[in-house]
Amino acid sequence: MLQKNALAALIGAALTCAGAAHAAEAAAPAPSTDDLPRVTVTAIGSAFKFDVPATVTVIDRQKMDRHLVADIRDLVKYEPGVSAVGTAGRWGLDSFNIRGLDGNRVAILTDGVPASTSFGFSTTGMRAGRSFVDPDTLKSAEIIRGPASALDPSDALGGTVRYVTKDPADYLKNGKDTYASIKERYNSADRSLGTSVTLAGGTPTNGVVFVADHREGSALNNKGDVSTSNYLRTRPDPLSFSTTSVLGKYVHIAPSGREDRVTVDMYRNSTTTNVLSALGQPGQTLLGSDKADDRATRFRLSVGQRYTNIDLGIADRLEWDAYWQKSETESTTQTLANVVSRKATYDRTFLSDLNERLFGGRLALYKSITGGSVEQRIAYGVEASRTTPTGSLGGQGRDIATGIVSSNTPYMPENYPLRFFPRNDTDRYSVFGQDEIAMLDGRLRITPGVRWDHYAFKPDHNDPYYNSSFVASGLNEVKKDRFSPKLGITYAVTDAIEVYGQYAQGFRPPLYSELAVAWGTPRLYGIIPNPNLKPETSKGVEIGIRGNGELGYFSASAYYNRYRDFIFGGYTLNDKSQWPQWAVQQNLLILMQAVNFPKATIKGVEASGGLMLGAFSDTLQGWRIEGNLAASRGDKQVTGQPGWTPLNSVDPLSAVLGISYDAKTWGAELIGKGVRRKTRLDSPTLFRAPGYATLDFYAHWKPVEPVELSLGLTNLTDRRYWDWGNLHGGVLANVGSLNGGGVDDAQVASAQIERLTMPGRAISASVRYTF
């Protein structure tokens, strides 16, 4: 154990570097069976793992409850180097940003099952995000920065978010054979009310758990104050939503140690929006009304077994999982469109459906070799999956004057139905292995690993997509594969301090949404496919130091990641000689395509630290001060342009500072978060979100054993601010621009940006009763 003064100096240095903090809680989550056993140090925002050559943090159930987490933005609100992307309003949250990369560059796994693909173009009205999980069904969320482990997908260039759902053993403890609880919650930011019911029965070795959750609410509030029913509106568009989720899981552990699991997981979100902010904007088409109904659903069935005590020679532990999942996003949009050039008004209905089916499995074997001066923990296995997406856009229009109904132009913007991409199968096969080698009594750990990934995009050439005039020639089967090596090292300088370093490569092949999407609206926008896209690859290094002792903990790291053939999905083709003939004939304003940029880089630092004040004085028992900081910089080389330009997806510098107190039955914490102004953008016309600081307060209390109350007061100072993930929006939205070609562009941009302000002062509360 470190001496107090030495550890205090190190913690103080970490806090000075961070300039920020939030408080801690000591409750280590159960280790994931997909990872080797680790030591964790738990803080209020998350726990970071020791003995791993990377930055890995875990947000457990207690932290989610005490911060009243309702969505993925709440989940990572205080997490250094991690944020949520997506917009308030109709389309909602999309996914995570980890160290400057977001969307499909971040793997999201729920009990090992991948989330569906982010899909969205502002020109199509057909969009789908990846936020298909209700936080109330989760036991923990593990966040891995970068493609650090050979056991995780290599296409996770940004990192991996690993959700672990609740188990029967989480509730069937101390001889209890039944468990039941109900939780009610409220949030003033979106005026939502929610109810969650948890039921469990059996024993920890033979039990079942059910979690059902339902929440209803309205549009997320903002700081806008203009309520007009047109494009100058700055208040949120009228919106109502309901979310329902159900989790059922059966777990049986045999006397031999074999563990059997069956999980059924369902999620559904329905949103109705009156898009008043789209009305009346001058242009070739004037909208008199714009109303939308959107529904996102996901259903998952997974089974698996764990053999913890086997003697196969090549393995002493074995795990396998198989899964089937269907994700679907359906949208109905009804508009009253006045087409100026035709002096006609059409009542138009757009129907879009994006469906993604996934089935696959994973087999992993583990072997420990002990007894000598060198010990090894070997993990290896195979993984395979098939994804089958389909998507279509249909609808019809009615001429208000004549009553004629048609699915073709001019009654609709294009001749419907349309296919944006062909029905296809995307097959993925992986073989992986890693060996953790422990030497010097375990103080030095070297972990080499490698993963081989094979990817095959197989379009159905009989799909109606190929009958479209938008389709470019050459869109055929695409096959790619690559080996991605990893190497990690940790060294325990003392029992309380370790240093680590890692080198990791990543590999992400182009997705169907990047290879094949084709679309065009006359005199407006178009998208053309790019069957020649190359896979993007990454090489990254990270070094760090961390420590833990009776006075607290600290962690600091620096990283540098370099990407080649970086896929950029919204590149504007300004050279009309590159345009296909149909785009020229439609007299498009903008034509976009997914392209490979030659290179991109992201580098940054992260630091966190905490002091347990009770170590200094008994009168300070229960008090803690903690903090973190994250700063990064990203640049890219654009095809055909000299030099480097900023990578817009990188978050601005952020810092968090907090103080908390925990007693036996109650606790409270005050957390401040500061974010620097977003200055580095690749265009002078893009909105640069100003810096801000917010202050949040949380409290929890158990007046009697069955009852637990939680309270949150967020943005106490009622600050007007923008969250960069809300402006950037991942694949579902574009960064607000301050110019254009119309007379009202300045007002339109100002109103659009004002609508994206975050909520002011808000209160959230929950009460849980355990029977």
Side-chain angles (χ1 to χ4, degrees), residues 56-97:
V56 181
T57 54
V58 180
I59 303 171
D60 65 15
R61 181 70 253 164
Q62 186 179 76
K63 307 304 174 290
M64 297 183 214
D65 287 338
R66 293 187 176 180
H67 286 173
L68 297 108
V69 170
D71 55 38
I72 63 173
R73 178 170 284 136
D74 294 339
L75 183 69
V76 297
K77 186 175 183 179
Y78 307 114
E79 190 72 9
V82 184
S83 62
V85 295
T87 59
R90 176 183 179 182
W91 301 115
L93 295 171
D94 170 28
S95 60
F96 297 94
N97 183 307

Side-chain angles (χ1 to χ4, degrees), residues 108-121:
I108 302 175
L109 308 175
T110 304
D111 294 333
V113 180
S116 57
T117 304
S118 288
F119 180 94
F121 290 93

Side-chain angles (χ1 to χ4, degrees), residues 128-186:
R130 311 177 74 199
S131 183
F132 281 91
V133 172
D134 189 326
D136 239 44
T137 64
L138 302 180
K139 173 167 63 176
S140 65
E142 180 179 275
I143 302 172
I144 304 168
R145 276 74 166 173
S149 173
L151 308 185
D152 290 321
S154 290
D155 61 357
L157 303 187
T160 299
V161 177
R162 186 183 294 275
Y163 295 135
V164 180
T165 58
K166 295 176 177 178
D167 280 340
D170 299 331
Y171 300 100
L172 303 175
K173 301 175 181 178
N174 303 321
K176 294 180 62 174
D177 57 7
T178 60
Y179 174 92
S181 70
I182 184 170
K183 182 170 73 172
E184 300 287 339
R185 61 188 185 277
Y186 169 76

